[in-house]
Amino acid sequence: MKRITLKHIAQEFNVSIATVSKSLHDSHEISTATKNKIQAFARKHHYRPNNLARSLVNKRTKTLGVIIPNIMNNFFAKVFVGIEEVAASRGYNLISCISNESYSKEVKTMELLKNGTLDGFVLSLSEETQIRQSYDHLKHAIEQGVSIVLFDRVTEEVQCDKVTVDDLEGAHRATSHLIKSGCKRIAVISILDNISVGKLRVEGYKKALLESGREVEEKLIVRIGKEEDFETAMKFVLSDKNIDALLCLEESSAIRSLVLLKQMNYRIPEEMSMICFTNGELPKYVSPSITTISQHGKSVGEISARLLIDRIEEDKEEAPYQTKTIKTSLIERESTRPLS
Amino acid sequence: MKRITLKHIAQEFNVSIATVSKSLHDSHEISTATKNKIQAFARKHHYRPNNLARSLVNKRTKTLGVIIPNIMNNFFAKVFVGIEEVAASRGYNLISCISNESYSKEVKTMELLKNGTLDGFVLSLSEETQIRQSYDHLKHAIEQGVSIVLFDRVTEEVQCDKVTVDDLEGAHRATSHLIKSGCKRIAVISILDNISVGKLRVEGYKKALLESGREVEEKLIVRIGKEEDFETAMKFVLSDKNIDALLCLEESSAIRSLVLLKQMNYRIPEEMSMICFTNGELPKYVSPSITTISQHGKSVGEISARLLIDRIEEDKEEAPYQTKTIKTSLIERESTRPLS
DNA sequence: TTGAAAGCGCTAACAT
DNA sequence: ATGTTAGCGCTTTCAA
């Protein structure tokens, strides 16, 4: 059984398509009698308006594009959940893509989708995009009237609404916490040095050190690339026996460091304290559990979606762009010494 | 700057829309000269065909719907990645929704989307749907000619292509492994008793016990509901001091059991062995690390997407439905004794 | 209260 | 080689 259209219904009752359309929209122009019979018929036959046709006329699809670098990342998964909830509650669908940190995938997706299918985009820049600093795909989209909200990994280069995590403050908070708990030399472990948030976190770390009257030792800021062997790099770091704390800029390096430290029989947190970003399940259940900076991913998603939908719906395409910044929180666990 | 259409281009060169359309499709009917100038103009002005209009004519949207019960679940996240990859490689977009284990969300989503927006659905049933056993939304969709692929949590009630994990065999494999490693009394911890896969896993467990000449003790099959306090329930289970192995039917109960066992100073695996389903990061990095049954989520996703796209594209709407079953693998870790 | 007609942007069969 | 026409399914203005 094929899908039924206005035309079919019109034929059934020997009325015009317009009458059927109006009836189904419960227009006052139509008599209650005809409305009733048409509505009943439609319901009985599971009539569903064709959204493509409708969107073509209305120039609104009620669909948003979401581009996320990696869904296996706990933070992004949470953001996605937040976006999804808000979108659903406001009647929007989501077309979602995983850029997999690839610039070309990101570009292709945007190209593909800014063709009428979407009312706007929510996205976080892929690592490669941030390395290349090529943002033309975003700029073009905006020029063509597609609204965009950038979250987490953003850039000054593009004029649009943004939702960021206060990474600088987060790293500052983490570093200060380590200092207060008595740590003397704190190393930073970063595999995110290519992306905006990584850089901000390093800044926050430096700021905290300076504020407490310490010097920044560049060699304590360990940037590990994708090609390098993580374990080897870490062992080299740990050969500096005076390091007594690790600030890991994301989850995975924290977990891997922890495994290594345990192998090497470090006592945690006595000999080595640890804090990491991204408050997923892992840091919570690993032992010792790891003190984390929560970035409130779900809120980031919710706010991003709201920002985008508001801009689309209220036709405030000319309204000034805003950047909302979410504060982080520190969740104390076993990998740091209590602050007395 | 607004989006440019065939009409605009046609006006620009004083030709018909058809000529423009053909030029952009590089038709041999059009002279190279006109084709060139039209293509150049289109490129320069970033012309993108409106997909809505195109889909309306073609009756194909090249878009699939994906409904997943919970994206924070490692298995489903992997499935999603698999679907995404295949879909992208074959030129399909994904409209994705999280049912959040809710029947009504699942129904609403399907209602909303089987309106021309989609060529088909890939979905896994929500827990609530499996409890209510209401599958009319799926049946209607199929009647209306929307192709569906069900994965992981499936039902016999609906006639469509399916991709399942061999849960029975997985649980059988896990149980046999525990038996071979010397475990005497194996308890099953299930918070999935409402869903198909949960039941299959229990069956696999029973089968393995019987095969090894043991009896099935129903009280060793612990079904913990959402409302019950997990910890209290587990403590009660563990009051039976003869239990020396836990088969956890998913990740979270395994992790929580592990925390509890460590608190209670169990030696793992000597006094208590453990195996759980879902091979995510958690079982790997927790200590002791947990032996798991991998369900190969990404493959499940890939196969599902392929099955769906094949059916859509090859117009084999009448082809017999298939069910593909993915074998699990056992990944040995520290929570089980080696098989010597 | 109902209907005719135009149009959203595109495709495709059929002229010319 | 180019154009005309009809139509996908729907909304909306204007006319009856």
Short mmCIF file of all heavy atoms in Angstrom, two decimals, chain A residues 34-86:
data_model
loop_
_atom_site.label_atom_id
_atom_site.label_comp_id
_atom_site.label_asym_id
_atom_site.label_seq_id
_atom_site.Cartn_x
_atom_site.Cartn_y
_atom_site.Cartn_z
N THR A 34 -17.55 19.05 6.04
CA THR A 34 -16.49 18.57 5.15
C THR A 34 -15.20 18.34 5.92
O THR A 34 -14.50 17.35 5.70
CB THR A 34 -16.22 19.57 4.01
OG1 THR A 34 -16.48 20.88 4.45
CG2 THR A 34 -17.08 19.27 2.80
N LYS A 35 -14.89 19.26 6.81
CA LYS A 35 -13.67 19.07 7.60
C LYS A 35 -13.70 17.71 8.27
O LYS A 35 -12.75 16.94 8.20
CB LYS A 35 -13.54 20.18 8.64
CG LYS A 35 -12.85 21.43 8.11
CD LYS A 35 -12.24 22.27 9.21
CE LYS A 35 -13.29 22.92 10.08
NZ LYS A 35 -12.74 24.09 10.83
N ASN A 36 -14.78 17.43 8.94
CA ASN A 36 -14.90 16.18 9.68
C ASN A 36 -14.69 14.96 8.80
O ASN A 36 -13.87 14.09 9.12
CB ASN A 36 -16.26 16.10 10.37
CG ASN A 36 -16.31 16.97 11.61
OD1 ASN A 36 -17.37 17.39 12.04
ND2 ASN A 36 -15.15 17.29 12.16
N LYS A 37 -15.40 14.93 7.70
CA LYS A 37 -15.29 13.72 6.90
C LYS A 37 -13.89 13.57 6.30
O LYS A 37 -13.34 12.48 6.24
CB LYS A 37 -16.38 13.68 5.81
CG LYS A 37 -16.23 14.68 4.70
CD LYS A 37 -17.38 14.58 3.70
CE LYS A 37 -17.17 15.58 2.56
NZ LYS A 37 -18.38 15.77 1.75
N ILE A 38 -13.32 14.71 5.93
CA ILE A 38 -11.97 14.64 5.36
C ILE A 38 -10.95 14.23 6.41
O ILE A 38 -10.09 13.37 6.17
CB ILE A 38 -11.60 15.99 4.71
CG1 ILE A 38 -12.42 16.16 3.42
CG2 ILE A 38 -10.11 16.09 4.44
CD1 ILE A 38 -12.16 17.45 2.69
N GLN A 39 -11.07 14.83 7.57
CA GLN A 39 -10.13 14.47 8.64
C GLN A 39 -10.26 12.99 9.00
O GLN A 39 -9.26 12.31 9.19
CB GLN A 39 -10.38 15.35 9.87
CG GLN A 39 -9.86 16.78 9.68
CD GLN A 39 -10.25 17.70 10.81
OE1 GLN A 39 -10.83 17.26 11.79
NE2 GLN A 39 -9.93 18.98 10.66
N ALA A 40 -11.48 12.54 9.08
CA ALA A 40 -11.70 11.14 9.43
C ALA A 40 -11.05 10.22 8.40
O ALA A 40 -10.32 9.30 8.74
CB ALA A 40 -13.20 10.86 9.53
N PHE A 41 -11.31 10.55 7.15
CA PHE A 41 -10.73 9.75 6.07
C PHE A 41 -9.20 9.73 6.14
O PHE A 41 -8.56 8.68 6.00
CB PHE A 41 -11.20 10.28 4.73
CG PHE A 41 -10.76 9.46 3.56
CD1 PHE A 41 -11.52 8.38 3.12
CD2 PHE A 41 -9.58 9.76 2.88
CE1 PHE A 41 -11.12 7.62 2.03
CE2 PHE A 41 -9.17 9.01 1.80
CZ PHE A 41 -9.94 7.93 1.38
N ALA A 42 -8.67 10.90 6.35
CA ALA A 42 -7.21 11.03 6.41
C ALA A 42 -6.64 10.18 7.54
O ALA A 42 -5.67 9.44 7.35
CB ALA A 42 -6.81 12.49 6.60
N ARG A 43 -7.28 10.27 8.67
CA ARG A 43 -6.80 9.52 9.82
C ARG A 43 -6.87 8.02 9.52
O ARG A 43 -5.92 7.29 9.75
CB ARG A 43 -7.62 9.88 11.05
CG ARG A 43 -6.82 9.80 12.35
CD ARG A 43 -7.57 10.38 13.53
NE ARG A 43 -8.12 11.71 13.25
CZ ARG A 43 -9.42 12.00 13.25
NH1 ARG A 43 -10.31 11.06 13.52
NH2 ARG A 43 -9.84 13.23 12.98
N LYS A 44 -7.99 7.65 9.01
CA LYS A 44 -8.21 6.23 8.73
C LYS A 44 -7.14 5.67 7.78
O LYS A 44 -6.69 4.54 7.93
CB LYS A 44 -9.60 6.06 8.12
CG LYS A 44 -9.98 4.61 7.84
CD LYS A 44 -11.45 4.47 7.51
CE LYS A 44 -11.72 3.19 6.73
NZ LYS A 44 -12.70 3.39 5.67
N HIS A 45 -6.76 6.49 6.82
CA HIS A 45 -5.79 6.02 5.85
C HIS A 45 -4.36 6.42 6.17
O HIS A 45 -3.49 6.41 5.31
CB HIS A 45 -6.19 6.47 4.45
CG HIS A 45 -7.43 5.80 3.96
ND1 HIS A 45 -7.41 4.66 3.20
CD2 HIS A 45 -8.74 6.08 4.17
CE1 HIS A 45 -8.64 4.28 2.95
NE2 HIS A 45 -9.48 5.12 3.52
N HIS A 46 -4.14 6.81 7.41
CA HIS A 46 -2.79 7.19 7.85
C HIS A 46 -2.15 8.23 6.95
O HIS A 46 -0.99 8.08 6.58
CB HIS A 46 -1.89 5.96 7.90
CG HIS A 46 -2.38 4.92 8.85
ND1 HIS A 46 -2.89 3.72 8.43
CD2 HIS A 46 -2.46 4.89 10.19
CE1 HIS A 46 -3.25 3.00 9.47
NE2 HIS A 46 -3.02 3.68 10.56
N TYR A 47 -2.93 9.23 6.60
CA TYR A 47 -2.33 10.27 5.78
C TYR A 47 -1.23 11.00 6.54
O TYR A 47 -1.40 11.35 7.70
CB TYR A 47 -3.38 11.30 5.34
CG TYR A 47 -2.76 12.51 4.72
CD1 TYR A 47 -2.27 12.48 3.41
CD2 TYR A 47 -2.59 13.69 5.45
CE1 TYR A 47 -1.65 13.58 2.86
CE2 TYR A 47 -1.97 14.79 4.90
CZ TYR A 47 -1.51 14.73 3.60
OH TYR A 47 -0.88 15.81 3.06
N ARG A 48 -0.10 11.19 5.88
CA ARG A 48 0.99 11.99 6.44
C ARG A 48 1.42 12.97 5.36
O ARG A 48 1.74 12.57 4.25
CB ARG A 48 2.21 11.12 6.76
CG ARG A 48 1.98 9.97 7.70
CD ARG A 48 2.49 10.29 9.08
NE ARG A 48 1.61 11.17 9.79
CZ ARG A 48 1.99 12.05 10.72
NH1 ARG A 48 3.27 12.17 11.01
NH2 ARG A 48 1.12 12.80 11.32
N PRO A 49 1.41 14.25 5.67
CA PRO A 49 1.85 15.21 4.66
C PRO A 49 3.29 14.94 4.26
O PRO A 49 4.09 14.53 5.09
CB PRO A 49 1.73 16.56 5.37
CG PRO A 49 1.68 16.24 6.81
CD PRO A 49 1.07 14.88 6.93
N ASN A 50 3.59 15.11 3.03
CA ASN A 50 4.96 14.92 2.57
C ASN A 50 5.80 16.14 2.95
O ASN A 50 5.58 17.25 2.48
CB ASN A 50 4.97 14.74 1.06
CG ASN A 50 6.36 14.49 0.54
OD1 ASN A 50 7.31 15.11 1.00
ND2 ASN A 50 6.49 13.58 -0.39
N ASN A 51 6.74 15.86 3.84
CA ASN A 51 7.53 16.96 4.38
C ASN A 51 8.41 17.62 3.34
O ASN A 51 8.77 18.79 3.47
CB ASN A 51 8.39 16.46 5.52
CG ASN A 51 7.95 17.07 6.83
OD1 ASN A 51 7.29 18.10 6.83
ND2 ASN A 51 8.28 16.44 7.92
N LEU A 52 8.83 16.87 2.36
CA LEU A 52 9.68 17.46 1.33
C LEU A 52 8.92 18.56 0.62
O LEU A 52 9.39 19.69 0.48
CB LEU A 52 10.10 16.40 0.31
CG LEU A 52 10.97 15.28 0.83
CD1 LEU A 52 11.22 14.28 -0.29
CD2 LEU A 52 12.27 15.85 1.34
N ALA A 53 7.72 18.21 0.20
CA ALA A 53 6.90 19.18 -0.52
C ALA A 53 6.63 20.40 0.36
O ALA A 53 6.74 21.54 -0.07
CB ALA A 53 5.59 18.53 -0.94
N ARG A 54 6.30 20.11 1.58
CA ARG A 54 6.00 21.19 2.51
C ARG A 54 7.21 22.10 2.69
O ARG A 54 7.10 23.31 2.65
CB ARG A 54 5.60 20.54 3.83
CG ARG A 54 4.95 21.48 4.78
CD ARG A 54 4.63 20.74 6.05
NE ARG A 54 3.22 20.60 6.25
CZ ARG A 54 2.69 19.91 7.26
NH1 ARG A 54 3.48 19.28 8.09
NH2 ARG A 54 1.39 19.86 7.40
N SER A 55 8.36 21.47 2.90
CA SER A 55 9.56 22.26 3.12
C SER A 55 9.89 23.08 1.88
O SER A 55 10.38 24.21 1.97
CB SER A 55 10.74 21.35 3.43
OG SER A 55 10.48 20.61 4.59
N LEU A 56 9.63 22.49 0.74
CA LEU A 56 9.95 23.18 -0.51
C LEU A 56 9.16 24.49 -0.59
O LEU A 56 9.66 25.52 -1.01
CB LEU A 56 9.60 22.28 -1.69
CG LEU A 56 10.11 22.71 -3.06
CD1 LEU A 56 11.63 22.84 -3.02
CD2 LEU A 56 9.70 21.68 -4.10
N VAL A 57 7.92 24.42 -0.17
CA VAL A 57 7.08 25.62 -0.18
C VAL A 57 7.47 26.57 0.94
O VAL A 57 7.65 27.77 0.73
CB VAL A 57 5.60 25.23 -0.03
CG1 VAL A 57 4.74 26.47 0.08
CG2 VAL A 57 5.16 24.37 -1.19
N ASN A 58 7.59 26.02 2.12
CA ASN A 58 7.82 26.87 3.30
C ASN A 58 9.23 27.40 3.44
O ASN A 58 9.49 28.28 4.24
CB ASN A 58 7.53 26.09 4.58
CG ASN A 58 6.10 25.69 4.68
OD1 ASN A 58 5.23 26.32 4.07
ND2 ASN A 58 5.83 24.64 5.42
N LYS A 59 10.15 26.81 2.74
CA LYS A 59 11.56 27.17 2.89
C LYS A 59 12.06 26.94 4.32
O LYS A 59 12.90 27.67 4.83
CB LYS A 59 11.78 28.65 2.55
CG LYS A 59 11.13 29.08 1.26
CD LYS A 59 12.20 29.25 0.25
CE LYS A 59 11.68 29.61 -1.09
NZ LYS A 59 12.56 29.03 -2.10
N ARG A 60 11.46 26.00 4.98
CA ARG A 60 11.89 25.61 6.32
C ARG A 60 11.80 24.11 6.40
O ARG A 60 10.77 23.54 6.05
CB ARG A 60 10.95 26.20 7.40
CG ARG A 60 11.16 27.64 7.73
CD ARG A 60 12.40 27.82 8.58
NE ARG A 60 12.89 29.19 8.50
CZ ARG A 60 12.39 30.21 9.21
NH1 ARG A 60 11.41 29.99 10.04
NH2 ARG A 60 12.89 31.42 9.07
N THR A 61 12.86 23.48 6.87
CA THR A 61 12.82 22.02 6.90
C THR A 61 12.65 21.48 8.32
O THR A 61 12.42 20.30 8.51
CB THR A 61 14.11 21.41 6.33
OG1 THR A 61 15.20 21.87 7.12
CG2 THR A 61 14.31 21.83 4.89
N LYS A 62 12.84 22.35 9.30
CA LYS A 62 12.79 21.88 10.69
C LYS A 62 13.80 20.75 10.90
O LYS A 62 13.50 19.75 11.57
CB LYS A 62 11.37 21.43 11.04
CG LYS A 62 10.44 22.61 11.28
CD LYS A 62 9.83 22.50 12.66
CE LYS A 62 9.22 23.77 13.16
NZ LYS A 62 8.98 23.67 14.62
N THR A 63 14.90 20.89 10.28
CA THR A 63 15.96 19.90 10.43
C THR A 63 17.29 20.64 10.63
O THR A 63 17.57 21.59 9.93
CB THR A 63 16.06 19.01 9.17
OG1 THR A 63 14.79 18.42 8.93
CG2 THR A 63 17.09 17.92 9.35
N LEU A 64 18.06 20.17 11.59
CA LEU A 64 19.35 20.77 11.85
C LEU A 64 20.46 19.78 11.52
O LEU A 64 20.29 18.58 11.69
CB LEU A 64 19.48 21.15 13.33
CG LEU A 64 18.34 21.97 13.94
CD1 LEU A 64 18.61 22.23 15.42
CD2 LEU A 64 18.19 23.29 13.18
N GLY A 65 21.57 20.29 11.08
CA GLY A 65 22.73 19.44 10.86
C GLY A 65 23.63 19.47 12.08
O GLY A 65 23.83 20.53 12.67
N VAL A 66 24.15 18.31 12.44
CA VAL A 66 25.07 18.25 13.56
C VAL A 66 26.34 17.58 13.08
O VAL A 66 26.28 16.49 12.50
CB VAL A 66 24.50 17.43 14.73
CG1 VAL A 66 25.49 17.35 15.87
CG2 VAL A 66 23.20 18.04 15.21
N ILE A 67 27.46 18.24 13.26
CA ILE A 67 28.72 17.62 12.88
C ILE A 67 29.61 17.53 14.10
O ILE A 67 29.91 18.54 14.73
CB ILE A 67 29.43 18.41 11.76
CG1 ILE A 67 28.50 18.58 10.57
CG2 ILE A 67 30.71 17.67 11.32
CD1 ILE A 67 29.13 19.34 9.42
N ILE A 68 29.97 16.32 14.41
CA ILE A 68 30.74 16.06 15.63
C ILE A 68 32.00 15.33 15.25
O ILE A 68 31.98 14.44 14.40
CB ILE A 68 29.84 15.25 16.59
CG1 ILE A 68 28.93 16.22 17.33
CG2 ILE A 68 30.65 14.39 17.52
CD1 ILE A 68 28.08 15.59 18.38
N PRO A 69 33.14 15.72 15.82
CA PRO A 69 34.40 15.10 15.41
C PRO A 69 34.48 13.62 15.73
O PRO A 69 35.11 12.86 15.00
CB PRO A 69 35.46 15.88 16.20
CG PRO A 69 34.83 17.19 16.50
CD PRO A 69 33.37 16.88 16.70
N ASN A 70 33.86 13.19 16.81
CA ASN A 70 34.04 11.80 17.23
C ASN A 70 33.01 11.44 18.29
O ASN A 70 33.04 11.95 19.39
CB ASN A 70 35.46 11.66 17.80
CG ASN A 70 35.67 10.33 18.47
OD1 ASN A 70 34.85 9.43 18.37
ND2 ASN A 70 36.78 10.20 19.18
N ILE A 71 32.14 10.55 17.94
CA ILE A 71 31.03 10.24 18.85
C ILE A 71 31.46 9.30 19.96
O ILE A 71 30.76 9.13 20.96
CB ILE A 71 29.83 9.65 18.06
CG1 ILE A 71 28.55 9.63 18.90
CG2 ILE A 71 30.15 8.23 17.59
CD1 ILE A 71 27.95 10.96 19.15
N MET A 72 32.61 8.67 19.83
CA MET A 72 33.07 7.77 20.88
C MET A 72 33.67 8.56 22.04
O MET A 72 34.02 8.01 23.07
CB MET A 72 34.12 6.79 20.34
CG MET A 72 33.64 5.89 19.22
SD MET A 72 32.27 4.81 19.69
CE MET A 72 33.11 3.71 20.82
N ASN A 73 33.81 9.85 21.83
CA ASN A 73 34.32 10.71 22.89
C ASN A 73 33.16 11.09 23.81
O ASN A 73 32.14 11.58 23.37
CB ASN A 73 34.92 11.94 22.19
CG ASN A 73 35.29 13.04 23.13
OD1 ASN A 73 34.50 13.44 23.98
ND2 ASN A 73 36.49 13.54 22.99
N ASN A 74 33.38 10.82 25.07
CA ASN A 74 32.29 11.01 26.03
C ASN A 74 31.72 12.42 26.03
O ASN A 74 30.50 12.60 26.09
CB ASN A 74 32.82 10.66 27.43
CG ASN A 74 31.76 10.75 28.48
OD1 ASN A 74 31.47 11.83 28.98
ND2 ASN A 74 31.15 9.62 28.80
N PHE A 75 32.59 13.40 25.94
CA PHE A 75 32.09 14.78 25.94
C PHE A 75 31.17 15.03 24.76
O PHE A 75 30.06 15.55 24.92
CB PHE A 75 33.28 15.75 25.92
CG PHE A 75 32.89 17.18 25.68
CD1 PHE A 75 32.23 17.92 26.65
CD2 PHE A 75 33.19 17.78 24.46
CE1 PHE A 75 31.87 19.25 26.42
CE2 PHE A 75 32.83 19.11 24.23
CZ PHE A 75 32.17 19.84 25.20
N PHE A 76 31.59 14.64 23.58
CA PHE A 76 30.77 14.88 22.39
C PHE A 76 29.46 14.08 22.44
O PHE A 76 28.42 14.55 21.99
CB PHE A 76 31.55 14.55 21.12
CG PHE A 76 32.60 15.58 20.80
CD1 PHE A 76 33.91 15.21 20.58
CD2 PHE A 76 32.27 16.93 20.72
CE1 PHE A 76 34.88 16.16 20.29
CE2 PHE A 76 33.24 17.89 20.44
CZ PHE A 76 34.55 17.51 20.22
N ALA A 77 29.55 12.89 22.97
CA ALA A 77 28.32 12.10 23.09
C ALA A 77 27.32 12.83 23.97
O ALA A 77 26.13 12.91 23.67
CB ALA A 77 28.64 10.72 23.66
N LYS A 78 27.82 13.41 25.05
CA LYS A 78 26.92 14.15 25.95
C LYS A 78 26.36 15.38 25.25
O LYS A 78 25.18 15.71 25.41
CB LYS A 78 27.66 14.56 27.21
CG LYS A 78 27.85 13.44 28.20
CD LYS A 78 28.53 13.95 29.47
CE LYS A 78 28.74 12.83 30.47
NZ LYS A 78 29.85 13.15 31.41
N VAL A 79 27.20 16.07 24.53
CA VAL A 79 26.72 17.23 23.80
C VAL A 79 25.60 16.81 22.85
O VAL A 79 24.55 17.46 22.77
CB VAL A 79 27.85 17.88 22.98
CG1 VAL A 79 27.30 19.00 22.10
CG2 VAL A 79 28.94 18.41 23.89
N PHE A 80 25.82 15.72 22.18
CA PHE A 80 24.83 15.24 21.22
C PHE A 80 23.49 14.97 21.90
O PHE A 80 22.44 15.35 21.40
CB PHE A 80 25.35 13.96 20.56
CG PHE A 80 24.51 13.50 19.41
CD1 PHE A 80 24.56 14.17 18.20
CD2 PHE A 80 23.65 12.43 19.54
CE1 PHE A 80 23.78 13.76 17.13
CE2 PHE A 80 22.86 12.02 18.47
CZ PHE A 80 22.93 12.69 17.26
N VAL A 81 23.56 14.35 23.06
CA VAL A 81 22.33 14.09 23.80
C VAL A 81 21.62 15.41 24.12
O VAL A 81 20.40 15.52 23.97
CB VAL A 81 22.64 13.31 25.11
CG1 VAL A 81 21.41 13.25 25.99
CG2 VAL A 81 23.13 11.92 24.77
N GLY A 82 22.39 16.40 24.53
CA GLY A 82 21.79 17.70 24.83
C GLY A 82 21.13 18.33 23.61
O GLY A 82 20.00 18.83 23.68
N ILE A 83 21.82 18.28 22.51
CA ILE A 83 21.26 18.85 21.28
C ILE A 83 19.98 18.11 20.92
O ILE A 83 18.95 18.72 20.62
CB ILE A 83 22.27 18.70 20.11
CG1 ILE A 83 23.53 19.51 20.38
CG2 ILE A 83 21.63 19.15 18.79
CD1 ILE A 83 24.63 19.30 19.34
N GLU A 84 20.05 16.80 20.99
CA GLU A 84 18.92 15.98 20.60
C GLU A 84 17.67 16.31 21.42
O GLU A 84 16.57 16.45 20.87
CB GLU A 84 19.29 14.51 20.84
CG GLU A 84 18.91 13.56 19.74
CD GLU A 84 17.48 13.10 19.89
OE1 GLU A 84 16.94 13.14 21.02
OE2 GLU A 84 16.89 12.71 18.88
N GLU A 85 17.87 16.46 22.70
CA GLU A 85 16.72 16.72 23.57
C GLU A 85 16.03 18.03 23.22
O GLU A 85 14.81 18.10 23.09
CB GLU A 85 17.16 16.76 25.04
CG GLU A 85 16.81 15.49 25.75
CD GLU A 85 17.34 15.48 27.18
OE1 GLU A 85 17.30 16.52 27.86
OE2 GLU A 85 17.79 14.41 27.60
N VAL A 86 16.83 19.07 23.10
CA VAL A 86 16.26 20.37 22.79
C VAL A 86 15.62 20.36 21.41
O VAL A 86 14.50 20.83 21.22
CB VAL A 86 17.33 21.48 22.87
CG1 VAL A 86 16.79 22.78 22.33
CG2 VAL A 86 17.78 21.65 24.31
#
